[in-house]
Amino acid sequence: MTDTIARIKYRPATELVYVDNSDGKGPKDNYNAASMPIYQTATFKQSSSTQMGEYDYSRSGNPTRSHVENHLAKIMSAKRSFVVNSGMTALDVITRLVKAGEEVIAGNDLYGGTNRLLSFLATHNNVKTHHIDTTDSETIIPYLSEKTRLVLLETPTNPLMRIADIPRISEIVHERCPNALVVVDNTMMSPYLQRPLELGADIVYHSGTKYLSGHHDLMAGVVAVKEDSIAEKIYFTINATGVGLSPFDCWLLMRGVKTLAVRMDRQQANAIQIADFLQSHKFKVHYPGLKTHPQYELHAKMSNGPGAVLSFETGNVELSEKLVELTRLWGISVSFGCVNSLISMPCRMSHASIPAEVRAARAMPEDLIRLCVGIEDVDDLLEDLYHALTASGALKLAN
């Protein structure tokens, strides 16, 4: 008889770094390497022609992939997690759960790529999506029916930083549509700041390219679930389509996850100062870390911080364009979550695939500027931003 030692659950920053395979769930390394080896192989030799070992072909499974998947499941409070080759692949895998004739309910402030995929499903797969204001939980009720299969949430939303009440929406959906699944894109927060599976969601996904990696040298996606039955369906699709993350990219992702806490703490601290600075100069700032945010208290209840992405309005599209191009430290780029600070105009870049009339109907300001705050010295970031604001004339207009 062997004694079973209950696993100690540490605080989030510790869990990100601490890897423990003593429970027998993770792949074994005979040499106890401090960093999981990269099993850069397509196939695994077998000792029998009739009985396969744990791994046979890397499309179906790989020890390096299993290692990072087990670790992510732990930090995301999931029964199982899966890593694939991009965040959009993660969403695509999830939408394979939806059959023709079924429906999706999603927010009206969504990442452009998400909107693109949902539009494709409508035109090619007969899957209709209802776009609603997810900041008001009750607005979902009229759209729930026996056809509802997924309720897709972003919170905070990208780029207007609106907040959805995950516990309340999950309660409504599970009560009225037992077969529907609540899916949350948690990329903006990361598992360090928010864990939707603990709040009532059924599936959570991330673009691992963002905070989980942290250096923009990797494309990856993560899907985490809390039920075995859903996990089996997700795995089937990943294995059948061959979208599992490669061994080397799994190793890069694992390395990035271990530094998530120190990066996010610094980025978030910088973002709070920058949001305060912009608001002090009378700009309209969208950031859940400001007490003036209409859902400040709701976000604080669900998360451990406001994150490091914010957006603001100048009131003039041309001024916004000038401002963006006058920055030096802020790289003009789509995406977010890396150690370097980035600046963009969503309506011209990450959300350009959404038709202008749809953006207008969803009240997305064309002059909106999104800041993705990095780990640089905050005074340098503020000075660079102040220079761009004054040189472009945006600061004078705001005041």
Side-chain angles (χ1 to χ4, degrees):
M1 178 184 290
T2 57
D3 293 331
T4 300
I5 301 175
R7 183 186 176 279
I8 299 172
K9 187 170 184 178
Y10 298 102
R11 293 170 181 81
T14 304
E15 291 286 7
L16 289 169
V17 177
Y18 181 63
V19 178
D20 180 16
N21 288 330
S22 62
D23 57 6
K25 292 182 179 179
K28 297 294 185 292
D29 170 40
N30 293 332
Y31 300 100
N32 296 316
S35 176
M36 182 66 180
I38 304 168
Y39 285 84
Q40 192 65 44
T41 181
T43 61
F44 298 82
K45 294 179 181 179
Q46 307 298 315
S47 59
S48 168
S49 62
T50 57
Q51 295 189 12
M52 297 292 103
E54 183 176 359
Y55 301 99
D56 60 357
Y57 193 53
S58 279
R59 172 169 54 80
S60 303
N62 180 284
T64 313
R65 188 186 305 152
S66 296
H67 182 70
V68 70
E69 287 178 339
N70 288 335
H71 189 63
L72 287 167
K74 179 191 71 171
I75 65 175
M76 297 170 76
S77 299
K79 179 64 71 87
R80 289 182 67 183
S81 78
F82 306 90
V83 291
V84 293
N85 54 31
S86 75
M88 286 310 303
T89 300
L91 179 58
D92 180 58
V93 167
I94 294 168
T95 60
R96 304 295 181 102
L97 298 171
V98 187
K99 299 176 182 178
E102 294 182 328
E103 297 181 349
V104 176
I105 300 174
N108 57 9
D109 180 24
L110 291 171
Y111 167 55
T114 301
N115 191 83
R116 184 190 301 116
L117 178 57
L118 294 176
S119 297
F120 178 89
L121 293 176
T123 56
H124 291 73
N125 291 19
N126 188 29
V127 173
K128 182 177 182 180
T129 296
H130 301 281
H131 292 280
I132 66 168
D133 177 7
T134 54
T135 63
D136 181 356
S137 303
E138 307 304 312
T139 61
I140 196 173
I141 294 175
Y143 298 95
L144 291 170
S145 73
E146 60 182 14
K147 293 183 178 181
T148 306
R149 180 56 172 154
L150 299 181
V151 174
L152 179 59
L153 305 175
E154 286 185 19
T155 183
T157 61
N158 178 14
L160 291 174
M161 310 304 292
R162 295 167 176 162
I163 309 301
D165 189 337
I166 299 173
R168 178 56 183 151
I169 291 175
S170 297
E171 180 183 30
I172 292 172
V173 172
H174 293 149
E175 180 182 294
R176 296 172 180 260
C177 296
N179 294 324
L181 300 170
V182 177
V183 181
V184 178
D185 179 351
N186 196 45
T187 305
M188 193 77 77
M189 286 285 96
S190 86
Y192 178 56
L193 295 181
Q194 183 171 268
R195 290 169 291 282
L197 296 181
E198 296 178 359
L199 300 172
D202 301 291
I203 302 175
V204 62
Y205 73 99
H206 290 259
S207 170
T209 311
K210 313 299 194 296
Y211 288 112
L212 293 177
S213 166
H215 296 80
H216 280 182
D217 53 7
L218 166 69
M219 296 288 291
V222 180
V223 181
V225 303
K226 63 182 182 183
E227 288 189 6
D228 285 328
S229 59
I230 300 301
E232 290 171 4
K233 293 177 181 179
I234 295 293
Y235 173 74
F236 178 88
T237 298
I238 292 171
N239 184 38
T241 56
V243 296
L245 196 62
S246 71
F248 181 65
D249 285 345
C250 287
W251 184 84
L252 282 177
L253 180 58
M254 185 68 185
R255 185 179 65 166
V257 167
K258 290 180 178 180
T259 63
L260 173 60
V262 290
R263 287 186 282 107
M264 182 61 89
D265 284 343
R266 175 62 174 260
Q267 290 172 271
Q268 181 172 258
N270 285 353
I272 291 170
Q273 290 193 55
I274 290 166
D276 287 338
F277 165 78
L278 288 168
Q279 190 172 66
S280 72
H281 286 288
K282 312 304 181 188
F283 289 100
K284 184 176 182 180
V285 183
H286 306 273
Y287 184 58
L290 294 172
K291 291 186 177 180
T292 54
H293 189 287
Q295 296 156 301
Y296 171 83
E297 292 185 1
L298 172 61
H299 180 76
K301 289 180 181 179
M302 297 191 298
S303 71
N304 296 324
V309 178
L310 60 107
S311 59
F312 70 101
E313 302 171 39
T314 67
N316 183 287
V317 175
E318 291 185 359
L319 279 179
S320 292
E321 291 174 350
K322 290 179 182 178
L323 191 162
V324 168
E325 293 176 0
L326 283 167
T327 58
R328 299 189 185 98
L329 287 176
W330 299 82
I332 304 175
S333 178
V334 297
S335 198
F336 57 89
C338 78
V339 292
N340 304 98
S341 293
L342 304 176
I343 189 169
S344 67
M345 291 186 65
C347 292
R348 298 288 187 271
M349 300 171 71
S350 57
H351 292 63
S353 61
I354 301 176
E357 63 273 16
V358 175
R359 296 198 301 265
R362 297 178 183 175
M364 185 180 296
E366 294 291 314
D367 64 304
L368 191 72
I369 294 175
R370 189 181 72 178
L371 299 178
C372 308
V373 185
I375 66 171
E376 301 93 340
D377 188 300
V378 69
D379 289 332
D380 288 327
L381 292 174
L382 287 169
E383 289 170 6
D384 189 41
L385 190 58
Y386 181 78
H387 163 77
L389 287 166
T390 53
S392 66
L395 193 55
K396 292 180 181 179
L397 180 64
N399 292 332

